[in-house]
Amino acid sequence: MAEKGAGYYTGNSPKLPPSEEVNIPAFSRLFADTTNSYKFVFFISLLDILRRRNFEVSQPITFEELVVEMLANAWYPHTYFKLSFGTQDQITKNLDSLSLEIAEPILKFTDTDKKLLRATIESQDLSGVVKKLQRFVPFRLITPFFEKELADIPNKHKGSNLDYAVPKVAEANFGSLKPLYRFDSNQYSSCQSIIIHPDWADYLQKHYRIVRGWAAWEWLDYMQRRNPNTPGLVNKLFAPSKRESLSKQTTYWKIVLQSLDLHCIYSGQRIDPQRFSLDHYLPWSFIAHDQLWNLIPTTPEINSSKSNDLPPPEFLERFITTQHQGLSICHQKLSNKAWEKIVEAYIEGLNIHNQDDLLDLEKLRNAYDNVVHPLISLASHQGFKVWQAPDIA
């Protein structure tokens, strides 16, 4: 085993910086033998709270504050992006038990500190949720620091006995073994808060970005095993810092609209070249990108109504036909260099190898059929609902 001051890797995750003050090998095993998402979300939430407090650890961090942060961190991947955390995951079950009315700034990713989301969660009666979620992981997360001290616990009931033993062991060895934290009581049933070791606060403040990157990498590895076919998974673990501008994509469709009257594929209304929106045919919250092959002009009202829902299957043919019209016009109007840049996303996203196939309606239809149908099936399985289109379509 590496010495305390040595650099330490876990799998292919980022390297944790060495330290002469704290036990990095023990720290690197925080997520060992993890069978659900709880440890990852708990630790990442702990980091978020510490950063918000500027790593000041004179005051304990209550289980309730941790649970609110955990639910807020789980909301985007579970509720918005509809990722699976595993069938036995308790965080998502407790999150689903809450009646949360999510305001627009949260969905537009302007709530960068999750302040509004945390306030929405805090407005609920969380007593039962806190009681459930504080039972195991706060105690088991730090067991790598006490492997010898906990080795004599009888194996027959090791799970429950381990939880009861950890508070006493953490308090007795807080100065010598320097675990990540101890509790506000050495009695399991009386614990309501954790107290971060000041040496660990210093380490986490100094290496915050690396440590958070390491934890996010470990969580991503866990989530990939439970969502093996989900597109853009790496972009779905956390709320995006912002949504990218669609200015380039809008310019593309404006070029098309200069030469062709287009009608909204959902409502049949004529698209006003000076007032239109771009709809993600497969919802952005599922596909997690803004590539042109998945964007279509609609009226602002229809785009708002469809939101993050799946399109009804009867609109696929209209979508493909409109995409073909757009590609054909831009092929005529754009320079070769501009055209090749535009079609890169189509070629990659639709698994097309020949640019000319984009201009052949039948070949384009086959490419879309091969890509869209499996993705819609997967999205439906994950819980995305089909949009109820207006009757005028």
Side-chain angles (χ1 to χ4, degrees):
M1 182 179 295
E3 295 299 322
K4 185 163 58 176
Y8 208 86
Y9 278 92
T10 302
N12 295 318
S13 62
K15 185 178 182 180
L16 290 170
S19 173
E20 297 296 335
E21 300 300 324
V22 292
N23 189 339
I24 302 303
F27 182 76
S28 70
R29 297 195 298 278
L30 291 184
F31 307 130
D33 303 318
T34 300
T35 57
N36 58 61
S37 67
Y38 199 151
K39 286 184 179 179
F40 304 109
V41 181
F42 180 91
F43 179 72
I44 289 170
S45 299
L46 177 59
L47 282 180
D48 288 352
I49 293 171
L50 284 172
R51 190 184 190 194
R52 200 156 55 242
R53 293 186 177 191
N54 293 318
F55 298 88
E56 170 58 51
V57 294
S58 60
Q59 297 297 317
I61 300 174
T62 66
F63 287 158
E64 182 171 357
E65 185 177 2
L66 279 162
V67 166
V68 169
E69 196 78 26
M70 289 169 64
L71 294 173
N73 276 325
W75 189 87
Y76 281 103
H78 171 64
T79 307
Y80 186 78
F81 291 116
K82 303 187 188 306
L83 299 182
S84 171
F85 281 44
T87 57
Q88 301 301 315
D89 190 82
Q90 294 300 310
I91 300 175
T92 54
K93 290 179 180 179
N94 283 279
L95 188 58
D96 289 339
S97 72
L98 303 178
S99 299
L100 300 177
E101 295 185 6
I102 302 302
E104 190 60 32
I106 297 173
L107 299 177
K108 289 186 175 180
F109 313 114
T110 56
D111 183 24
T112 55
D113 189 38
K114 308 186 296 292
K115 184 176 181 180
L116 295 175
L117 183 54
R118 283 187 281 111
T120 303
I121 294 170
E122 287 172 344
S123 69
Q124 303 282 304
D125 179 5
L126 297 175
S127 55
V129 175
V130 173
K131 186 175 181 180
K132 290 177 182 178
L133 293 181
Q134 73 181 44
R135 290 175 58 194
F136 302 117
V137 168
F139 305 97
R140 297 185 185 180
L141 185 73
I142 57 173
T143 57
F145 292 96
F146 314 119
E147 290 177 345
K148 292 181 180 179
E149 290 72 17
L150 297 172
D152 294 334
I153 294 177
N155 288 328
K156 185 177 180 181
H157 302 292
K158 192 159 188 173
S160 58
N161 287 346
L162 188 75
D163 299 322
Y164 283 99
V166 166
K168 290 182 180 180
V169 174
E171 183 171 334
N173 296 279
F174 198 60
S176 56
L177 298 180
K178 297 183 180 181
L180 180 60
Y181 53 78
R182 64 177 177 87
F183 302 89
D184 59 339
S185 172
N186 61 11
Q187 299 295 320
Y188 170 83
S189 59
S190 299
C191 294
Q192 297 297 321
S193 305
I194 64 172
I195 300 166
I196 305 295
H197 197 289
D199 287 353
W200 274 110
D202 291 341
Y203 178 87
L204 294 174
Q205 182 175 23
K206 182 178 180 181
H207 305 295
Y208 170 79
R209 292 187 180 277
I210 297 175
V211 173
R212 186 177 170 85
W214 165 75
W217 181 286
E218 294 289 333
W219 191 23
L220 174 63
D221 180 64
Y222 168 88
M223 294 293 279
Q224 282 179 327
R225 294 195 297 272
R226 282 146 187 83
N227 302 270
N229 300 312
T230 298
L233 183 65
V234 70
N235 298 318
K236 297 179 178 181
L237 289 188
F238 305 99
S241 58
K242 63 177 181 177
R243 285 285 294 272
E244 296 296 326
S245 167
L246 295 178
S247 59
K248 292 182 179 179
Q249 296 89 330
T250 300
T251 298
Y252 168 86
W253 281 108
K254 281 185 175 181
I255 294 172
V256 177
L257 289 165
Q258 287 173 359
S259 302
L260 182 69
D261 275 347
L262 287 181
H263 292 78
C264 172
I265 66 170
Y266 306 114
S267 69
Q269 297 178 54
R270 179 181 175 275
I271 300 295
D272 183 347
Q274 304 304 318
R275 185 182 177 272
F276 68 92
S277 297
L278 290 181
D279 168 62
H280 291 75
Y281 187 74
L282 298 173
W284 184 89
S285 54
F286 172 71
I287 208 74
H289 66 62
D290 298 315
Q291 293 181 9
L292 271 170
W293 68 266
N294 187 52
L295 293 171
I296 202 76
T298 64
T299 65
E301 295 77 15
I302 288 293
N303 187 49
S304 178
S305 173
K306 182 170 173 283
S307 186
N308 288 318
D309 291 345
L310 292 170
E314 61 266 26
F315 294 109
L316 180 57
E317 179 61 30
R318 300 185 199 177
F319 173 75
I320 296 171
T321 300
T322 302
Q323 285 284 359
H324 180 258
Q325 291 174 315
L327 288 164
S328 299
I329 287 174
C330 283
H331 180 255
Q332 298 171 7
K333 286 185 164 292
L334 297 177
S335 66
N336 288 337
K337 185 176 181 180
W339 163 253
E340 290 176 357
K341 189 172 183 179
I342 285 291
V343 300
E344 282 180 2
Y346 283 91
I347 291 172
E348 180 181 350
L350 299 176
N351 298 317
I352 287 178
H353 302 292
N354 187 338
Q355 291 184 13
D356 292 339
D357 290 350
L358 295 171
L359 304 175
D360 185 313
L361 180 57
E362 186 60 30
K363 291 180 178 179
L364 185 66
R365 181 183 293 113
N366 289 337
Y368 267 109
D369 283 342
N370 290 335
V371 170
V372 170
H373 288 304
L375 288 175
I376 285 183
S377 178
L378 176 60
S380 298
H381 180 72
Q382 287 187 353
F384 285 88
K385 66 178 182 178
V386 176
W387 177 52
Q388 295 296 314
D391 294 335
I392 57 176

